[in-house]
């Protein structure tokens, strides 16, 4: 649960924190391979992107791909 208000007043708003949050959100949405509103035409690209960049536990622990 995130606190919405606090009884301990601050002198300045957390500008740096909000900038970091904004940069993280921008990086997340810009990193996605397909933009918003695209229908099923981009699903194959999304699946390929996710499989290529996924951390599969077997591959991480054994150091080799699943398909040999």
């Amino acid at each position: 649960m995130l606190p919405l208000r606090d009884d301990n007043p601050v002198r300045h708003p957390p500008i740096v924190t909000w900038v970091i949050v904004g940069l993280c959100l921008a990086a997340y949405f810009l990193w996605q391979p397909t933009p918003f509103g695209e229908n099923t035409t981009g699903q194959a690209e999304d699946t390929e992107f996710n499989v290529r960049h996924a951390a599969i536990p077997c591959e991480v622990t054994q150091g080799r791909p699943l398909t040999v």
Side-chain angles (χ1 to χ4, degrees):
M1 172 188 268
L2 296 173
L4 297 177
R5 50 187 79 77
D6 192 1
D7 291 335
N8 185 12
V10 294
R11 294 182 188 177
H12 304 287
I15 296 172
V16 174
T17 303
W18 287 111
V19 168
I20 292 172
V21 169
L23 290 173
C24 289
L25 286 171
Y28 173 78
F29 286 114
L30 293 173
W31 194 272
Q32 299 301 313
T34 56
F36 292 113
E38 187 170 330
N39 293 336
T40 58
T41 58
Q43 286 182 349
E45 295 172 1
D46 287 344
T47 303
E48 180 185 351
F49 178 83
N50 289 336
V51 169
R52 193 168 2 118
H53 293 84
I56 301 172
C58 175
E59 293 178 353
V60 172
T61 59
Q62 299 196 8
R64 60 182 174 84
L66 283 174
T67 56
V68 180

